[in-house]
Every structure is written in C-alpha cells, then in structure tokens.
Amino acid sequence: MEILQIPESERRVFDALIPAGSAKSVKLGTLGPKGTSSEYIAQSMARSVGGRDALRIVLESTYEQCMTALADGQVDLALVAHAYPKINAFYMNPLLEPAIVFRGNTPEYGLATRPDFEFSEELLFSETVVSHPAPVPLLEYHFGRPVRLATANSTSQAARDVADGRYDIAITNAQAVREHNLKFVHRFSHIPMTWTVFSRKVNK
C-alpha cells in the first residue's frame, strides 16, 4: 500500500521547501512521542526526498507545541493531521500558512494491551480505554456501544500509558505497539487521512 499520495503541484512545492544539496537540514515538527502516526508520515516524507538526510524530524508533546516552535523559528515546517479537531486554530494563526496538503495512510490501528493481559470484548464495557481523541469513533463503528474513555495527547502516549500499567487497553497504531512492546487484541485498519504541512508566513 502506498503511504503517501502527494499531487504533482504539491510535490513541486515540497521539493522547493527541502532543496537538494543543502548543507542544512530542514526541521519538521510533528506530534510525538516516538510511535505516533504523525511520526510515521513524517518518516515517509523524509524517505520520499531520497534519503538525503535533508529532513530532520522534531517530535513535540502536542501539535500546539509544534506550531509554537514553528512560529518561533525553532523548526522550519510542521506536520498536522486533519483528524486533529483543533487544526482550525493553526489555519487562523497570522504568523503561519499551509505549505502543502496531501494524503497519507496511517499505520494499522487497533486495540492493544500488554502481552500478559487477558482480554475479552466484554472488558471494553467495564475497563477504561485510553486514546487520543481522534480515533475514538472507531469504537462505536466497530462495537456499536460507548465505552469509558481516558484521553492521551497521542496514540503513542496511549500505548505508553498501557505499557506503564496506568490503563489496560489503548486505541493505538502498529508502530506504537512495537515501540512499547504491546499486542493487538483487535485490529481495525489503516486510516486514509489528509495532512497539512505548515510554514511561517512569508510577507508578500
């Protein structure tokens, strides 16, 4: 499955943002910690520029911190998923502007637990499930009932919370499952998603 689908017009802009042969890496901020879908897409972007080591990924705890770092000049670009419900605030920021928009498929999502945890579907309606807010609707679509939820800043943070024993079940992705030594007990799918790369606004 192709991870990135970047239209040709957007690809030309992307290539211009990360020029070949530059001695300085372009810093791309996105949501961490390691194992997020945002990092996965950022890594795919880095590979797509030919492995020139021209794109350095900087992980922040929230998208808001990414945008502050961008506005302050600490990073050059910032990658945000359109599934993030507060992305509208970034479009309204007078210091920033969207540079490119493209489609990027996430890693596979599912419900994950620690390897020694005995899971059954009935536990979804008695245990607390930890998740970033964006993929929560997966539960209703797949199980048809609301569950008790705890919120994490990212899918990878949700996986870390389970690995640390704070919760027993997380909605997370395959990358975070590997990163935090968890196991999938129910698999959803990859999520076809669109993304924006923001840059600082250039005065015209």
Side-chain angles (χ1 to χ4, degrees), residues 57-154:
I57 299 166
V58 179
L59 299 178
E60 301 284 0
S61 297
T62 66
Y63 280 131
E64 283 76 12
Q65 290 178 2
C66 292
M67 306 314 278
T68 297
L70 177 59
D72 291 346
Q74 297 169 20
V75 298
D76 304 297
L77 304 168
L79 171 70
V80 183
H82 289 172
Y84 183 58
K86 298 179 181 179
I87 191 173
N88 63 302
F90 308 150
Y91 281 98
M92 305 305 149
N93 189 323
L95 300 176
L96 309 176
E97 62 183 356
I100 65 168
V101 177
F102 64 96
R103 173 171 164 160
N105 295 310
T106 72
E108 184 178 27
Y109 271 69
L111 295 174
T113 66
R114 293 179 300 280
D116 60 350
F117 183 77
E118 293 294 329
F119 174 83
S120 66
E121 191 172 313
E122 291 73 22
L123 289 174
L124 286 176
F125 312 111
S126 59
E127 295 277 337
T128 297
V129 178
V130 61
S131 176
H132 185 271
V136 165
L138 288 168
L139 289 172
E140 186 169 350
Y141 288 131
H142 285 263
F143 297 104
R145 289 174 56 185
V147 303
R148 188 166 56 208
L149 290 164
T151 300
N153 285 338
S154 69

Side-chain angles (χ1 to χ4, degrees), residues 158-181:
R160 178 184 288 177
D161 287 346
V162 168
D164 291 344
R166 295 186 62 200
Y167 302 98
D168 293 321
I169 306 168
I171 303 174
T172 191
N173 66 48
Q175 187 150 299
V177 165
R178 290 190 295 271
E179 181 72 25
H180 297 287
N181 192 32

